[in-house]
Amino acid sequence: MSPQIMPSDAEVRANRADDGQASEEDARLRKDIRLLGRILGDTVRDQEGADVFDLVERIRQTSIRFHRDEDRLARRELETMLDSMSIAETVRIVRAFSYFSHLANIAEDHNNIRQMRSRRATSGAQRAGALAETLSHAEAAGITAAELRSFFKSALVSPVLTAHPTEVRRKSTMDREMEIAGLLDRRERVQLTLEEAEESDEQLRREVLTLWQTNLLRRTKLTVLDEVENGLEFYDYTFLREVPRLICALEDRLEAGNEAASELASFLRMGSWIGGDRDGNPFVTAEVMRGTLGLQSSRALQFYLEELHALGGELSIAAHLADVSEELRALAKRSPDTSPHRSGEPYRLAVSGIYARLTATAERLDVKVMRQPVAEAAPYLNVQELQADLDVLHRSLIANNARVIARGRLRLLRRAVDCFGFHLARLDIRQNSAVHECTVAELLDAAIPGMSYLSLSEEARVTLLAGELRSARPLTSSFVKYSEETLGELAVFHAAAEAHAKFGADVIPQCIISMCKGMSDMLEVALLLKEVGLINPSGRSAINIVPLFETIEDLQASSAIMDRMLALHDYRKLVDSRGAVQEVMLGYSDSNKDGGFVTSGWELYKAEIGLVEVFERHGVRLRLFHGRGGSVGRGGGPSYDAIIAQPGGAVNGQIRITEQGEIISSKYSNAEVGRNNLEILAAATLEASLLHPRQPAPKREYLIAMEWLSAHAFHAYRGLVYETEGFAEYFWASTVITEIATLNIGSRPASRKKTREIEDLRAIPWVFSWAQCRLMLPGWYGFGSAVEAWLAENPEQGMPFLKELYTEWPFFRTLLSNMDMVLAKSSIAIASRYAELVPDEALREKIFGRIRREWHLSIETLLDIMGQDRLLQGNPLLERSVRNRFPYLDPLNHVQVELLKEHRAQNPDEQVLRGIQITINGISAGLRNTG
């Protein structure tokens, strides 16, 4: 019998004893996992030998016993087995378990696609988050198609890709995994002959073997432009085709037989930080930003040229068989294509002319494309000229009874050009407010004799900066020698101005200020933008100035800051010049690291309520930009639930959300899954804006209770993380934070400063490290203590009141639902092994004892409030997914602990560090949303 690295039938039955009969979909998932597990088992046995395979199985079985019962005997057996292995054996074992995590992910993603297709194929089967369901709700509420079209005219849904280093997979392994996914899909959808089925089996084995023999880890450090290239792959996988298809499908739904209806506005726009985010990343320079924009433009133009080439092949319409419009004849006549074979085919001639002009445009923009023109032609000066030519084709087809042809490739290409322009994605530029402050201080001190900007009060700075905004005098001088930092910042702003002139204003529409703490932080950026001509002294701005409020203190101050900014005449003129829309970014990651999960969520919610009130009073449209991470500890969780749980008025038709780390590949590497995720964002934005834009405010007693819970959770979290002596030492010793820095998974340093202080550590490696040791501490710590204290203080309301909060208040329900997910992935038994890495026994017992108590208390109170007997009881599909991963995930943790001991004992064998790095990869894959 073929070996298989997967649960036995008895294990599956035991795991499912409380689940009842497995659904057909679940059975199919298990069948796919069993197939891939069997092939991986064969591969391990063939490549590494039966002894290695048998050892994998023994470790897995013992790990199950330890996880289920925290069995001490099993723990000793595990330690004995792991201690007896050589380093080379250990690395082979780690690879086997890591690859199973990756293959299980492929099977799960395939099953999710299968379920989506099944729902769409079943008449009337709709689900929360589906655009069709939201449109049905809108129709039922009496909202007309015309009103929906009007809504989308000013709507904006913008996922923003970021390069945060939690995607540990290489593109090479992702490519192999996508091939395996494609083979599974074909087996599902195509009725294979016996010969084809055998060939499919061999192809699967070939891909798994290639995956086994492919490096899991990058051998070299990523550059920023490497990160840009990686991010651009998702445009090929998903965005370039699926964004236009989604909008066209929505347009069809709203058209409903009214062919004269105007085209739907392109409300879905892709954004990016990759190559523009300078906060803490010294490698993002002006030159890198230029390179980024060139790569983005190249990807867009290459796609358009490929589609035009295909379109030319399709539009073989002969002039003597079908009429064409006069403007189409004129366009064809201007084509430089002189081929006699196309002389009677005006559409092909017109497409050849467009193609020639677009290749000339690529040369004008200095971007590389793979295709050559048919002949020389004048370049397009802007994207509107390209759109106008494509519209000529469209109008001619429509006017001459060929609507069905116009609705094919041409329609999708026109929509793609409208969505992506010549720039592909809207690149944000971001920098820390402290850097802006130093740059402006240096410029002003040099320009104004006797000035000491840094010594001025906030009020004095605001007065000075507002005056400078009105002045036509430049601040910089060629006769002054500025610092390298100031020259670097000015170079980036000059590059942004050049990009606007080259690609159009949409190329860089936002300038984001990290750690924004006051009005002067925003005015300093305005002054720098004025210096390069993106703001003029009359009060017109070509770019949005976006404050990012990140810490608990800054979130609490955000409404007051924006109230004063919008009341400041010189700044309000800038906002009005941008259509009276002001974007505000809210930071989930740093607020969580600063105050804990409960307080972060609550302060974000309160900040939104305050901002909504301020903006309504000033008559300015608020657009919120949510800086959510992949993990719950950084604001992650289901996007639909998060948007719907926003307070009334906080969405208002426009929303931007970061897509970070490994979440990008899990959401967008498959076109069908990517389309579904984009649809969810659009549906949630529509529903939150139109169907309950003014949902009733939570009851006052709900707000009071939440304020109380937040204060006590904050106290518990800060008490542990920032006020417990030795906590930083415990963190660095009990997690893989040091070893994460050795992985070649990102261009940005892990800490803002070269210290071991928690305050200076970035939120991403902070959360990633806690996920690796299976504590997930940032996603729950403090909740149990807060609830326990509240129940003791409020016995008359008691648990029934908290259950009411969970049932009636979407915010509280989403908060607990996310906690439910993160605690289900945690393991206090595994975490106890990491705690043993702390050499100071007294410190270890003091801190881990507190963590263990809080973990048990948080689970107990969470289950009680949610009315569950076990974690994830209300989400059986996710529960099974998490539970079935533990037998392969836990061994990686156990081996990681042993390898950390070796590494920290200065074992010179380079395979020790390599083994640790592979375990980080495998654990990340098994947990999925870890950073």
Side-chain angles (χ1 to χ4, degrees), residues 238-303:
T238 295
F239 300 128
L240 281 165
R241 297 189 187 279
E242 296 305 325
V243 169
R245 282 179 181 149
L246 190 156
I247 297 174
C248 288
L250 178 59
E251 185 175 63
D252 287 345
R253 173 69 185 261
L254 296 180
E255 193 173 83
N258 179 15
E259 294 182 354
S262 60
E263 293 184 346
L264 192 68
S266 295
F267 64 91
L268 188 54
R269 305 281 183 172
M270 296 306 301
S272 179
W273 276 13
I274 313 174
D277 181 9
R278 287 142 42 240
D279 182 16
N281 193 339
F283 306 111
V284 179
T285 62
E287 199 54 43
V288 164
M289 194 169 81
R290 289 189 186 96
T292 297
L293 297 175
L295 289 170
Q296 287 188 179
S297 181
S298 174
R299 193 65 57 107
L301 268 59
Q302 182 69 31
F303 175 75

Side-chain angles (χ1 to χ4, degrees), residues 25 28-29 106-115 877:
E25 288 176 345
R28 287 180 176 181
L29 170 60
I106 294 171
E108 277 197 4
D109 289 343
H110 179 59
N111 192 53
N112 290 338
I113 293 169
R114 183 161 46 218
Q115 290 177 14
L877 186 65

